[in-house]
Amino acid sequence: TMTTLKELVATSATAGSSVRRHREVLEKTASECLRASDIVLSSGKKLVTEHAGSLGRSLWDTHERVLMAALDCGDFETADKTLATLRRKFGLTSQRVRRLEGMRLEAECDYAGALKIYKNVLEQDPADALTWKRTVVVLRDCGDSKAAIEELNDYLKVFAQDHEAWLELADMYIEEQEYNLAKFCFEELIMLQAPNYQFHLRYAELLFTIGGTQNLELARNYFAQALELKPGCLRALYGIVLCLRATGVKGTLQQKLLAVGQSQLIEQYTKYAPNLLPIVKDVLNKDSK
């Protein structure tokens, strides 16, 4: 992915590079969810300043991407110019423009100013999900974890299908060592996106962290499910082995499961990291004694 992007960037940086090349760079970063702010800023700025007429309906989306990339890169001059352009086009009352104004204040750590803007926007439109989520971000950046958690819980009462918000809430609970509350978040995530192995994996890791025989046995099952969804997943393999050793290997089936887990770990390291294989074997042998 990055090799292809680098090739596009190299081509777009040459003298006389076409508009198409710069557009391909932006399309590549967007389609593959690559932040790459410096690259977006370079190609996007070139397009909106020199080739605006060729962008058609994507012109204003490109302006917005340039603004956010400029904020990421600390290029406040470009950010302010782009924000002024968007104000002239959409007016001072546009919710989208107001949200970008709040992000501009965030970039300078003016959290009180940003929160004031977001509060005003939400008073006009309580269902503005993006502005609501920006509010949570600001509260978290301020270090007010309690308020951020309360705000995100309120948000999820309205937007219960937002898996990114559930994941964010889980991370905040983990930071506060509220593992049982984080566990509930991952239960919601598994219901929303059952084929996603990472949610099964992280749920299992939480159960292992909480501890207790019942949680460890359940963790083993979710590690196994993660492994089924993502064959060869090292974290899942280690999880299965650790759970079995923590609870004690009982019966032939669990002995076979332990043996399979250990053999697959050795197989993965032999294939992808042979230099670490002696360490892995030593650890597995020590733990089995």
Side-chain angles (χ1 to χ4, degrees), residues 48 60 63-64 66-68 70-71 75-94 96-98 100-101 104:
V48 298
W60 302 110
H63 270 90
E64 185 171 344
V66 168
L67 171 56
M68 291 191 287
L71 292 176
D75 185 352
F76 294 148
E77 182 180 352
T78 297
D80 289 338
K81 287 180 180 178
T82 308
L83 186 55
T85 300
L86 291 168
R87 284 193 189 111
R88 286 194 297 271
K89 173 63 179 177
F90 298 104
L92 299 176
T93 58
S94 164
R96 199 164 176 174
V97 170
R98 293 289 286 157
L100 292 170
E101 288 174 340
R104 173 66 179 88

Side-chain angles (χ1 to χ4, degrees), residues 93-112:
T93 58
S94 164
Q95 288 182 202
R96 199 164 176 174
V97 170
R98 293 289 286 157
R99 183 167 60 249
L100 292 170
E101 288 174 340
M103 292 174 70
R104 173 66 179 88
L105 293 175
E106 284 184 57
E108 289 190 326
C109 299
D110 183 0
Y111 298 129

Side-chain angles (χ1 to χ4, degrees), residues 25-65:
V25 168
L26 293 188
E27 288 168 3
K28 187 73 173 175
T29 55
S31 65
E32 301 195 6
C33 300
L34 301 172
R35 193 167 186 123
S37 298
D38 55 336
I39 295 171
V40 171
L41 179 59
S42 177
S43 284
K45 191 174 178 181
K46 186 87 171 175
L47 287 171
V48 298
T49 56
E50 299 179 18
H51 307 286
S54 68
L55 292 176
R57 296 176 64 182
S58 67
L59 173 62
W60 302 110
D61 284 337
T62 305
H63 270 90
E64 185 171 344
R65 291 188 67 189

Side-chain angles (χ1 to χ4, degrees), residues 9-282:
V9 171
T11 307
S12 66
T14 58
S17 58
S18 66
V19 176
R20 181 174 63 85
R21 284 297 183 189
H22 289 292
R23 295 188 70 167
E24 285 176 349
V25 168
L26 293 188
E27 288 168 3
K28 187 73 173 175
T29 55
S31 65
E32 301 195 6
C33 300
L34 301 172
R35 193 167 186 123
S37 298
D38 55 336
I39 295 171
V40 171
L41 179 59
S42 177
S43 284
K45 191 174 178 181
K46 186 87 171 175
L47 287 171
V48 298
T49 56
E50 299 179 18
H51 307 286
S54 68
L55 292 176
R57 296 176 64 182
S58 67
L59 173 62
W60 302 110
D61 284 337
T62 305
H63 270 90
E64 185 171 344
R65 291 188 67 189
V66 168
L67 171 56
M68 291 191 287
L71 292 176
D72 277 350
C73 296
D75 185 352
F76 294 148
E77 182 180 352
T78 297
D80 289 338
K81 287 180 180 178
T82 308
L83 186 55
T85 300
L86 291 168
R87 284 193 189 111
R88 286 194 297 271
K89 173 63 179 177
F90 298 104
L92 299 176
T93 58
S94 164
Q95 288 182 202
R96 199 164 176 174
V97 170
R98 293 289 286 157
R99 183 167 60 249
L100 292 170
E101 288 174 340
M103 292 174 70
R104 173 66 179 88
L105 293 175
E106 284 184 57
E108 289 190 326
C109 299
D110 183 0
Y111 298 129
L115 283 173
K116 184 177 179 181
I117 288 175
Y118 298 151
K119 182 180 178 181
N120 289 338
V121 172
L122 289 170
E123 284 175 353
Q124 296 172 12
D125 181 10
D128 185 338
L130 291 176
T131 300
W132 207 340
K133 289 165 88 170
R134 289 311 312 170
T135 302
V136 175
V137 169
V138 172
L139 290 171
R140 196 173 183 186
D141 285 345
C142 289
D144 194 347
S145 299
K146 183 178 179 181
I149 288 171
E150 288 177 358
E151 195 72 37
L152 194 50
N153 269 301
D154 288 341
Y155 170 86
L156 282 166
K157 290 174 184 176
V158 180
F159 300 99
Q161 302 297 310
D162 188 337
H163 74 276
E164 290 181 348
W166 281 113
L167 191 57
E168 183 80 6
L169 184 59
D171 287 338
M172 285 195 281
Y173 279 136
I174 290 170
E175 286 181 3
E176 298 297 314
Q177 298 183 15
E178 295 282 0
Y179 298 126
N180 281 305
L181 293 174
K183 184 166 72 77
F184 173 79
C185 295
F186 279 105
E187 289 167 354
E188 292 291 325
L189 284 164
I190 289 170
M191 286 193 293
L192 288 172
Q193 293 193 2
N196 190 325
Y197 83 95
Q198 294 187 42
F199 297 154
H200 294 269
L201 182 63
R202 292 195 62 186
Y203 182 61
E205 290 171 343
L206 270 174
L207 290 167
F208 188 89
T209 300
I210 295 169
T213 302
Q214 186 175 354
N215 282 328
L216 289 171
E217 290 177 349
L218 188 58
R220 184 191 67 220
N221 294 338
Y222 276 92
F223 278 128
Q225 180 63 32
L227 187 62
E228 183 175 336
L229 293 168
K230 180 72 172 178
C233 176
L234 289 178
R235 282 166 65 183
L237 286 168
Y238 275 121
I240 290 170
V241 171
L242 289 172
C243 285
L244 284 169
R245 287 182 173 167
T247 58
V249 180
K250 304 165 187 173
T252 306
L253 184 60
Q254 289 190 7
Q255 288 176 349
K256 288 182 178 179
L257 183 59
L258 179 62
V260 169
Q262 291 176 328
S263 65
Q264 285 193 25
L265 278 170
I266 291 172
E267 181 183 327
Q268 291 294 312
Y269 277 98
T270 302
K271 186 175 182 180
Y272 297 109
N275 57 311
L276 296 177
L277 187 58
I279 300 173
V280 174
K281 284 185 175 179
D282 187 49

